[in-house]
Amino acid sequence: MIVEILAAGLVISACLAIFLDEAVYAVVALAGTFFLTSLLYAFSDALFVAIFQFAVGAGTLAVLFLSGEMLSEPPQKTSQKTLLSMIAIGVLLSLPAIFLSISTPTGLLSGISFGEALWDLRAVDVVLQGFVIMTVALGIAIVLHEKRKGEN
Amino acid sequence: MDYIILSLILMSIGIYGLLTKRDLLKVFISVELIATAATLNFVMLVPSLGKGLGEAFLILAFSTDTCVSGVILALLVIVHKKYGTSDIGDLVKMENTKEENEVEA
């Protein structure tokens, strides 16, 4: 029952994070999303992931709060009716997750330990890191190209 | 309670925000929601992937997510500092006006 309530809260806070107009409130709703996700992991016996999610979320939110405060436009008041309708949409959206289910295969690669997975399947990691570095390099090249074009 | 459907719903909310919101901060929040949905999928598929493999993928997902967040936030601050707004529509308008002025000149 607790997990279902957490799931509903997660969807509601995600909806609020997207639909609330004021940046700081949206960031607070996102903080709720991170916190509830972390709790959901903890209740699913994934404590390592819960702590990781909490730490990453806390760091991201600290920066986001500053950016939100710095970059936000003058606040617009959200009416109570709109707020209630957002919560209702969140509750409605969370219902399929609570009542429906999809069967998933189990025991596909369950024999691999953490160390083996990290080192034996390094290729996946390396390929993905390659993609990330390539994207960053492309971004930098484009920025420098545009800057040079602007100077000429 | 099905985590895959929950993850799908979170991802749908994120994609909706990504497509409809014009503020860069909201776009960033949408990207974060999509990343959370992806992580949730990894965590809940651990029984089928094996605990070790699941954790290895998770570390990778978290690191990539943090890098993406850093880059997006840096871009957000630079754009706001340069143009004074973080609204995508305003930025496009400014760029169009700039190009028109250059053509006229």
Side-chain angles (χ1 to χ4, degrees), chain A residues 72-97:
Chain A
S72 64
E73 307 291 326
Q76 296 169 335
K77 282 226 165 181
T78 311
S79 69
Q80 207 157 11
K81 200 179 163 187
T82 320
L83 195 70
L84 284 175
S85 62
M86 283 177 207
I87 293 171
I89 289 170
V91 171
L92 279 176
L93 282 174
S94 65
L95 289 180

Side-chain angles (χ1 to χ4, degrees), chain B:
Chain B
M1 168 70 198
D2 199 310
Y3 290 102
I4 294 177
I5 297 177
L6 180 64
S7 152
L8 202 69
I9 292 165
L10 270 184
M11 202 182 77
S12 313
I13 296 170
I15 290 173
Y16 174 80
L18 206 62
L19 293 175
T20 57
K21 297 291 165 185
R22 303 178 74 87
D23 190 19
L24 280 174
L25 201 70
K26 281 289 165 70
V27 171
F28 175 73
I29 289 174
S30 307
V31 172
E32 279 298 316
L33 284 181
I34 293 170
T36 308
T39 320
L40 191 70
N41 243 348
F42 275 128
V43 175
M44 299 315 159
L45 285 175
V46 158
S48 59
L49 285 173
K51 200 170 188 297
L53 189 59
E55 284 182 354
F57 273 130
L58 263 170
I59 289 177
L60 187 69
F62 273 128
S63 332
T64 317
D65 179 29
T66 314
C67 294
V68 168
S69 308
V71 172
I72 295 177
L73 270 173
L75 286 175
L76 182 63
V77 172
I78 290 169
V79 164
H80 195 270
K81 209 173 166 185
K82 191 172 177 184
Y83 296 103
T85 180
S86 55
D87 188 286
I88 296 172
D90 291 346
L91 290 171
V92 172
K93 268 182 206 165
M94 275 183 201
E95 197 58 38
N96 286 343
T97 319
K98 197 178 154 189
E99 276 175 14
E100 278 169 17
N101 289 342
E102 277 176 5
V103 169
E104 279 173 17

Side-chain angles (χ1 to χ4, degrees), chain A residues 52-64:
Chain A
F52 221 101
Q53 170 76 34
F54 200 74
V56 171
T60 310
L61 286 168
V63 183
L64 252 181

Side-chain angles (χ1 to χ4, degrees), chain A residues 20-30 64-65 68-70 72, chain B residues 25:
Chain A
L20 281 176
D21 286 325
E22 203 183 330
V24 178
Y25 292 158
V27 173
V28 171
L30 187 70
L64 252 181
F65 258 116
E69 189 62 45
M70 199 171 78
S72 64
Chain B
L25 201 70

